Amino acid sequence: MKTRMLHAMLPAGLGEEPARWQQQKSARTRLRLVEAAIDCLVEGGYSRLTTQAVAERTKASRGSMHHHFPTRMELVAAVVEQVFYERMRLFLDDYLSNLARSSEAEMLEIATAAHWRSVHTREYAAYLELAVAARTDPELDGFFGPAARRYDEVWIGEMIESFPQWRDQWEQMKLASDFVSNVHMGMLLQHPVYGEARTQRMHKLTNEVLRLIYAHKFGV
Amino acid sequence: MKTRMLHAMLPAGLGEEPARWQQQKSARTRLRLVEAAIDCLVEGGYSRLTTQAVAERTKASRGSMHHHFPTRMELVAAVVEQVFYERMRLFLDDYLSNLARSSEAEMLEIATAAHWRSVHTREYAAYLELAVAARTDPELDGFFGPAARRYDEVWIGEMIESFPQWRDQWEQMKLASDFVSNVHMGMLLQHPVYGEARTQRMHKLTNEVLRLIYAHKFGV
DNA sequence: CATAAAACAGGCAGAATTGCCGGTTAATGA
DNA sequence: TCATTAACCGGCAATTCTGCCTGTTTTATG
């Protein structure tokens, strides 16, 4: 399940295991801290992602935290990297494994279903928190924005690799991808209001639109 | 520009001016506080909506704040009411005034353009902050969720009044409304990544889909 | 083995927020 | 007019979070 594109945005300390014990341990605790920070983010929102909450959760001392992440923002930056990487990795794992045991006719439904699942992961919840927080926090946006655009480029690359059926109509594919991404985000956020029935209708509509895009019924 | 539906969710203290001077003054400062709170929300996010920031902004004392809103949450609750009300009021004002000087053929484009504009108001920015914060704050969700559902009901009622063209196909109209609402939310949040060109393509696609829904090309 | 470096522990001061309280001024109505 | 109610003022303690600081233990290296 290795992909070149995705590998290009591997977060620091998540690559091959270093030989030395100390660096290995360091990378391990670093990852524990980042994962705990993501939990805080998902459970309490951006403002509750606090250094001391992370320290408590991982049973780490304040000093150890300061050693790995001198400021809160550096921790948040690491969270951003981790979240983008894991979000795409999880989607690709899900999609590609489901794709294996399916016919080509179901391709679109398989993909949208996988994307809809990916939108319910804690990584996507974290992404949402960060995206909204970045709207009002210039410092966060300073590295979130570029990371998001980098993620988008890699995403497009992965889509091209993963959807050979769309060859020679990549503009349509990108349109379809943007479309699903946008609709699903809105559906997720408004689900508490719209409820299950209207969400299902939206799914049906989404798939029909995708079929039309695929059949060149919509210009780009 | 008065509508019965909208009037049903008028926030406290925004109705007719009370006769007594004291109550009038009270309502005035109350509104000032709520508006300042919305500014804080839009500029700094939910976590920067603090009682003292609001007090500073309105030049009110901490004591006066406490008199009107004993706790921060009561202030937030007032903000929720105000935001939902103003959001819909502004959209209806915009849409209905633009609708007056246009042909019926352009109806769909007029409506989507108005909705897209409404998504760029500070009221929508505030709504977004609240919606995301409510996902991780049960206390906020306790009154935000119900308010959002109330808003949705009123919204449907207003749409039925405002779109006589969709008579006898209200299910399609609701589908179209949900669709635009979802897509535009995603487009807004991902605009920093997708940029202007891809956003324009999405607008084009959206309008084409709406035409098909209107022409009964999509089942409900 | 000895020294350096890295990882970890825990405490402290300053700033920011929140809720609350006693006091003050202005208006309302009998 | 005068007691009562409403609006407003400013300060206090408790809490929380951040950044920094001084030690201590563990690991690497000459």
Short mmCIF file of all heavy atoms in Angstrom, two decimals, chain B residues 91-92 95-96 99 107-108 110-112 155-168 170 173 177 214:
data_model
loop_
_atom_site.label_atom_id
_atom_site.label_comp_id
_atom_site.label_asym_id
_atom_site.label_seq_id
_atom_site.Cartn_x
_atom_site.Cartn_y
_atom_site.Cartn_z
N PHE B 91 -29.95 37.38 4.04
CA PHE B 91 -30.10 36.64 2.79
C PHE B 91 -31.40 37.01 2.09
O PHE B 91 -31.42 37.29 0.89
CB PHE B 91 -30.06 35.13 3.03
CG PHE B 91 -30.46 34.34 1.82
CD1 PHE B 91 -29.57 34.14 0.79
CD2 PHE B 91 -31.75 33.84 1.69
CE1 PHE B 91 -29.93 33.45 -0.35
CE2 PHE B 91 -32.13 33.14 0.55
CZ PHE B 91 -31.21 32.94 -0.47
N LEU B 92 -32.49 37.05 2.86
CA LEU B 92 -33.79 37.34 2.24
C LEU B 92 -33.80 38.74 1.65
O LEU B 92 -34.30 38.96 0.55
CB LEU B 92 -34.91 37.16 3.27
CG LEU B 92 -35.20 35.70 3.65
CD1 LEU B 92 -36.26 35.64 4.74
CD2 LEU B 92 -35.61 34.90 2.43
N TYR B 95 -31.65 38.52 -1.57
CA TYR B 95 -32.28 37.73 -2.62
C TYR B 95 -33.53 38.40 -3.17
O TYR B 95 -33.67 38.59 -4.38
CB TYR B 95 -32.62 36.33 -2.10
CG TYR B 95 -33.50 35.56 -3.05
CD1 TYR B 95 -33.01 35.16 -4.29
CD2 TYR B 95 -34.81 35.24 -2.73
CE1 TYR B 95 -33.80 34.46 -5.18
CE2 TYR B 95 -35.61 34.55 -3.61
CZ TYR B 95 -35.11 34.16 -4.84
OH TYR B 95 -35.90 33.49 -5.71
N LEU B 96 -34.41 38.81 -2.28
CA LEU B 96 -35.70 39.36 -2.73
C LEU B 96 -35.51 40.66 -3.50
O LEU B 96 -36.23 40.91 -4.48
CB LEU B 96 -36.63 39.55 -1.54
CG LEU B 96 -37.08 38.24 -0.87
CD1 LEU B 96 -37.94 38.52 0.35
CD2 LEU B 96 -37.82 37.35 -1.87
N LEU B 99 -34.15 39.73 -6.85
CA LEU B 99 -35.13 38.99 -7.62
C LEU B 99 -36.08 39.93 -8.37
O LEU B 99 -36.50 39.66 -9.50
CB LEU B 99 -35.95 38.09 -6.68
CG LEU B 99 -36.88 37.09 -7.33
CD1 LEU B 99 -36.07 36.08 -8.14
CD2 LEU B 99 -37.71 36.38 -6.27
N MET B 107 -33.67 32.93 -12.48
CA MET B 107 -34.04 32.71 -11.08
C MET B 107 -33.00 31.90 -10.31
O MET B 107 -32.56 32.30 -9.24
CB MET B 107 -35.40 32.03 -11.04
CG MET B 107 -35.96 31.78 -9.67
SD MET B 107 -35.79 30.04 -9.15
CE MET B 107 -36.79 29.17 -10.37
N LEU B 108 -32.58 30.76 -10.87
CA LEU B 108 -31.67 29.89 -10.16
C LEU B 108 -30.33 30.56 -9.91
O LEU B 108 -29.78 30.50 -8.81
CB LEU B 108 -31.46 28.58 -10.93
CG LEU B 108 -32.68 27.65 -10.94
CD1 LEU B 108 -32.43 26.48 -11.88
CD2 LEU B 108 -32.97 27.17 -9.54
N ILE B 110 -29.69 33.75 -9.79
CA ILE B 110 -29.90 34.83 -8.81
C ILE B 110 -29.85 34.26 -7.40
O ILE B 110 -29.18 34.81 -6.51
CB ILE B 110 -31.26 35.51 -9.05
CG1 ILE B 110 -31.31 36.15 -10.43
CG2 ILE B 110 -31.55 36.52 -7.95
CD1 ILE B 110 -30.57 37.43 -10.54
N ALA B 111 -30.56 33.15 -7.23
CA ALA B 111 -30.64 32.57 -5.89
C ALA B 111 -29.29 32.04 -5.43
O ALA B 111 -28.86 32.31 -4.30
CB ALA B 111 -31.68 31.45 -5.87
N THR B 112 -28.61 31.31 -6.28
CA THR B 112 -27.32 30.76 -5.85
C THR B 112 -26.31 31.87 -5.62
O THR B 112 -25.51 31.81 -4.69
CB THR B 112 -26.76 29.77 -6.88
OG1 THR B 112 -26.72 30.40 -8.16
CG2 THR B 112 -27.60 28.53 -6.96
N TRP B 155 -36.36 28.33 7.59
CA TRP B 155 -35.74 28.45 6.27
C TRP B 155 -36.59 27.78 5.21
O TRP B 155 -36.87 28.35 4.14
CB TRP B 155 -34.34 27.83 6.31
CG TRP B 155 -33.66 27.78 4.98
CD1 TRP B 155 -33.59 26.73 4.13
CD2 TRP B 155 -32.95 28.86 4.35
NE1 TRP B 155 -32.89 27.07 3.00
CE2 TRP B 155 -32.48 28.37 3.11
CE3 TRP B 155 -32.66 30.17 4.70
CZ2 TRP B 155 -31.75 29.16 2.23
CZ3 TRP B 155 -31.93 30.95 3.83
CH2 TRP B 155 -31.48 30.45 2.61
N ILE B 156 -37.02 26.54 5.49
CA ILE B 156 -37.86 25.82 4.53
C ILE B 156 -39.13 26.62 4.24
O ILE B 156 -39.54 26.77 3.08
CB ILE B 156 -38.20 24.42 5.06
CG1 ILE B 156 -36.94 23.56 5.09
CG2 ILE B 156 -39.26 23.76 4.19
CD1 ILE B 156 -37.15 22.19 5.69
N GLY B 157 -39.74 27.13 5.31
CA GLY B 157 -40.94 27.94 5.12
C GLY B 157 -40.68 29.15 4.24
O GLY B 157 -41.47 29.47 3.33
N GLU B 158 -39.60 29.83 4.47
CA GLU B 158 -39.26 31.01 3.68
C GLU B 158 -39.00 30.63 2.23
O GLU B 158 -39.37 31.36 1.30
CB GLU B 158 -38.03 31.72 4.26
CG GLU B 158 -38.27 32.39 5.59
CD GLU B 158 -39.15 33.63 5.46
OE1 GLU B 158 -39.42 34.07 4.33
OE2 GLU B 158 -39.59 34.15 6.50
N MET B 159 -38.34 29.51 2.02
CA MET B 159 -38.06 29.08 0.65
C MET B 159 -39.36 28.82 -0.10
O MET B 159 -39.53 29.20 -1.25
CB MET B 159 -37.21 27.80 0.66
CG MET B 159 -35.79 27.98 1.13
SD MET B 159 -34.85 29.21 0.17
CE MET B 159 -34.99 30.66 1.22
N ILE B 160 -40.31 28.18 0.59
CA ILE B 160 -41.59 27.90 -0.05
C ILE B 160 -42.30 29.20 -0.43
O ILE B 160 -42.90 29.31 -1.51
CB ILE B 160 -42.48 27.04 0.88
CG1 ILE B 160 -41.88 25.63 0.98
CG2 ILE B 160 -43.91 26.99 0.38
CD1 ILE B 160 -42.66 24.69 1.89
N GLU B 161 -42.19 30.20 0.45
CA GLU B 161 -42.80 31.49 0.13
C GLU B 161 -42.07 32.20 -1.00
O GLU B 161 -42.66 32.88 -1.83
CB GLU B 161 -42.80 32.40 1.37
CG GLU B 161 -43.98 32.16 2.30
CD GLU B 161 -44.06 33.24 3.38
OE1 GLU B 161 -43.48 34.33 3.17
OE2 GLU B 161 -44.67 32.98 4.41
N SER B 162 -40.73 32.05 -1.01
CA SER B 162 -39.92 32.85 -1.93
C SER B 162 -39.74 32.23 -3.31
O SER B 162 -39.28 32.89 -4.23
CB SER B 162 -38.53 33.10 -1.31
OG SER B 162 -38.66 33.70 -0.04
N PHE B 163 -40.06 30.94 -3.44
CA PHE B 163 -39.85 30.29 -4.73
C PHE B 163 -41.15 29.70 -5.25
O PHE B 163 -41.31 28.48 -5.28
CB PHE B 163 -38.79 29.19 -4.60
CG PHE B 163 -37.40 29.70 -4.38
CD1 PHE B 163 -36.93 29.89 -3.10
CD2 PHE B 163 -36.58 30.00 -5.45
CE1 PHE B 163 -35.64 30.36 -2.89
CE2 PHE B 163 -35.29 30.47 -5.25
CZ PHE B 163 -34.82 30.66 -3.96
N PRO B 164 -42.08 30.54 -5.65
CA PRO B 164 -43.37 30.03 -6.16
C PRO B 164 -43.18 29.15 -7.40
O PRO B 164 -44.04 28.32 -7.70
CB PRO B 164 -44.14 31.31 -6.48
CG PRO B 164 -43.11 32.38 -6.62
CD PRO B 164 -42.00 32.00 -5.71
N GLN B 165 -42.06 29.33 -8.10
CA GLN B 165 -41.82 28.53 -9.30
C GLN B 165 -41.73 27.04 -9.00
O GLN B 165 -41.92 26.20 -9.85
CB GLN B 165 -40.52 28.96 -10.00
CG GLN B 165 -40.48 30.41 -10.42
CD GLN B 165 -39.91 31.29 -9.33
OE1 GLN B 165 -39.85 30.91 -8.18
NE2 GLN B 165 -39.48 32.50 -9.71
N TRP B 166 -41.35 26.73 -7.73
CA TRP B 166 -41.15 25.32 -7.38
C TRP B 166 -42.42 24.67 -6.85
O TRP B 166 -42.39 23.56 -6.33
CB TRP B 166 -40.05 25.18 -6.32
CG TRP B 166 -38.67 25.55 -6.80
CD1 TRP B 166 -38.20 26.80 -6.98
CD2 TRP B 166 -37.60 24.66 -7.14
NE1 TRP B 166 -36.90 26.76 -7.41
CE2 TRP B 166 -36.49 25.46 -7.51
CE3 TRP B 166 -37.46 23.26 -7.16
CZ2 TRP B 166 -35.27 24.91 -7.90
CZ3 TRP B 166 -36.24 22.73 -7.54
CH2 TRP B 166 -35.16 23.54 -7.91
N ARG B 167 -43.53 25.37 -6.96
CA ARG B 167 -44.77 24.81 -6.45
C ARG B 167 -45.02 23.41 -7.05
O ARG B 167 -44.66 23.16 -8.18
CB ARG B 167 -45.94 25.74 -6.79
CG ARG B 167 -47.22 25.46 -6.02
CD ARG B 167 -48.33 26.39 -6.48
NE ARG B 167 -47.92 27.78 -6.48
CZ ARG B 167 -47.90 28.55 -5.38
NH1 ARG B 167 -48.30 28.06 -4.24
NH2 ARG B 167 -47.49 29.80 -5.47
N ASP B 168 -45.58 22.52 -6.24
CA ASP B 168 -45.85 21.14 -6.65
C ASP B 168 -44.57 20.33 -6.85
O ASP B 168 -44.61 19.22 -7.38
CB ASP B 168 -46.69 21.09 -7.93
CG ASP B 168 -48.02 21.78 -7.73
OD1 ASP B 168 -48.54 21.76 -6.60
OD2 ASP B 168 -48.54 22.35 -8.71
N TRP B 170 -42.00 20.60 -4.18
CA TRP B 170 -41.27 21.10 -3.02
C TRP B 170 -40.17 20.14 -2.56
O TRP B 170 -39.17 20.57 -1.98
CB TRP B 170 -42.24 21.39 -1.88
CG TRP B 170 -43.00 22.67 -2.14
CD1 TRP B 170 -42.56 23.72 -2.91
CD2 TRP B 170 -44.28 23.04 -1.68
NE1 TRP B 170 -43.49 24.71 -2.93
CE2 TRP B 170 -44.58 24.33 -2.19
CE3 TRP B 170 -45.23 22.41 -0.88
CZ2 TRP B 170 -45.77 24.99 -1.92
CZ3 TRP B 170 -46.42 23.08 -0.60
CH2 TRP B 170 -46.69 24.36 -1.12
N MET B 173 -37.30 21.14 -4.42
CA MET B 173 -36.79 22.42 -3.93
C MET B 173 -35.96 22.24 -2.67
O MET B 173 -34.89 22.81 -2.53
CB MET B 173 -37.94 23.38 -3.64
CG MET B 173 -37.48 24.78 -3.39
SD MET B 173 -38.69 25.72 -2.44
CE MET B 173 -38.67 24.87 -0.89
N SER B 177 -32.11 23.09 -2.16
CA SER B 177 -31.67 23.97 -1.08
C SER B 177 -30.58 23.32 -0.24
O SER B 177 -29.54 23.92 0.03
CB SER B 177 -32.88 24.34 -0.21
OG SER B 177 -32.46 25.00 0.95
N TYR B 214 -34.38 21.03 -11.11
CA TYR B 214 -35.59 21.79 -11.44
C TYR B 214 -36.37 21.12 -12.57
O TYR B 214 -37.59 21.15 -12.59
CB TYR B 214 -35.20 23.22 -11.84
CG TYR B 214 -36.37 24.16 -11.98
CD1 TYR B 214 -37.15 24.51 -10.89
CD2 TYR B 214 -36.70 24.69 -13.22
CE1 TYR B 214 -38.22 25.37 -11.02
CE2 TYR B 214 -37.77 25.57 -13.36
CZ TYR B 214 -38.52 25.90 -12.25
OH TYR B 214 -39.57 26.75 -12.38
#
